Amino acid sequence: MNISVFTHTCYSCNKRILDSKDIFCIECFGYLPKTPFSFSDNNIIKDKFKGIISVIMAGSYLYYNKNEQVKELLNQIKYENNTQLATDLGKLMGKEYLEILKNEIDVIIPIPLHTEKYQLRGYNQAELIANGLSEVTGIPVMNHVLKRGKNTISQTKISRENRFQNVNNAFVIQHPEKITQKRILLLDDVITTGATLESAGLKLVENKIKSLSILTLATAFEL
């Protein structure tokens, strides 16, 4: 009698893998360019906000600027409708940072898309990453507190100098009482200059949160 074994494929190389809990084969997982500075006291992500916002913890999971593997993953979750990959990458980060997040964070808030952009794309990749992170850590996600008040152009299409002006006052807070005295983790898919996270973080801090931490899936290492 033939017994069929359920298999699925690695997100990076499409090699068949047996364990349904894995999203990469052993080789591709080993090649992931993890950053060495996630949530350490002194790291380039946290230092980016020094003197601007009080950030308790900060980090980024992967490098991407010269890594084709990570570039392709980001392309899939942002432009190719691979929503499951976005959620699975959030779960991967949740496993990596489980203990520290459970002890230090009350609420996860993903960087929102403007309504028009959300309707065009059909999903927010940062929200999906946050959902995966929440599934592993048990920390709730709040999607309806931080909103984009203006439809900014893509940060990837403008110069480094103009990115801060582009997102200046781009965010508004709805129902501020929901985040009062909460330890917030602000989450996005990528950090380059930090302009978007800075603008959103400042708006959160204005609304009497207890603390702010920042996490992204990847960094361009342009900080």
Side-chain angles (χ1 to χ4, degrees):
M1 178 172 123
N2 292 329
I3 299 177
S4 61
V5 179
F6 173 77
T7 62
H8 63 294
T9 59
C10 171
Y11 277 124
S12 286
C13 70
N14 292 318
K15 182 187 293 183
R16 297 177 72 183
I17 46 182
L18 293 176
D19 193 337
S20 61
K21 298 189 295 296
D22 293 332
I23 65 174
F24 298 108
C25 67
I26 294 174
E27 290 84 359
C28 289
F29 182 76
Y31 286 133
L32 286 175
K34 295 182 182 180
T35 70
F37 45 72
S38 289
F39 299 132
S40 59
D41 287 337
N42 299 302
N43 69 71
I44 60 173
I45 304 295
K46 187 176 180 181
D47 287 348
K48 181 62 183 175
F49 304 98
K50 189 175 293 185
I52 303 170
I53 321 174
S54 177
V55 174
I56 302 302
M57 303 189 303
S60 192
Y61 185 48
L62 302 171
Y63 292 119
Y64 90 89
N65 58 328
K66 293 183 180 179
N67 187 279
E68 293 302 323
Q69 180 188 15
V70 178
K71 282 184 179 180
E72 179 56 29
L73 293 173
L74 291 171
N75 187 64
Q76 286 188 46
I77 66 173
K78 199 164 186 174
Y79 302 114
E80 296 186 10
N81 202 38
N82 197 336
T83 56
Q84 186 59 54
L85 174 57
T87 302
D88 285 344
L89 288 169
K91 292 179 184 178
L92 197 63
M93 286 202 297
K95 294 174 184 176
E96 184 84 8
Y97 307 130
L98 177 61
E99 293 306 317
I100 190 168
L101 293 180
K102 285 180 67 176
N103 291 329
E104 301 293 338
I105 300 299
D106 298 319
V107 175
I108 303 167
I109 296 183
I111 291 289
L113 293 178
H114 189 271
T115 302
E116 293 178 11
K117 193 170 291 185
Y118 186 94
Q119 290 174 344
L120 183 64
R121 185 174 297 170
Y123 64 94
N124 175 8
Q125 69 277 4
E127 181 180 321
L128 295 172
I129 295 168
N131 290 342
L133 192 67
S134 175
E135 186 174 330
V136 173
T137 62
I139 302 169
V141 177
M142 283 190 182
N143 294 319
H144 305 296
V145 173
L146 184 66
K147 292 287 188 181
R148 278 195 187 254
K150 63 179 182 179
N151 191 8
T152 57
I153 62 176
S154 172
Q155 294 284 77
T156 61
K157 297 179 179 179
I158 56 179
S159 69
R160 179 187 180 95
E161 292 74 19
N162 289 332
R163 290 181 182 185
F164 290 90
Q165 183 176 355
N166 184 45
V167 293
N168 185 40
N169 294 317
F171 298 96
V172 295
I173 299 292
Q174 297 181 333
H175 309 293
E177 71 280 359
K178 292 185 177 181
I179 57 172
T180 300
Q181 291 303 303
K182 298 290 186 183
R183 297 175 298 176
I184 304 296
L185 179 69
L186 184 61
L187 184 141
D188 205 359
D189 55 348
V190 175
I191 179 172
T192 50
T193 63
T196 300
L197 288 158
E198 179 184 309
S199 180
L202 284 168
K203 188 57 65 173
L204 289 168
V205 169
E206 287 173 6
N207 284 271
K208 300 179 181 179
I209 63 174
K210 185 173 183 178
S211 66
L212 176 69
S213 297
I214 288 172
L215 176 64
T216 67
L217 172 63
T219 174
F221 204 50
E222 295 176 4
L223 304 177

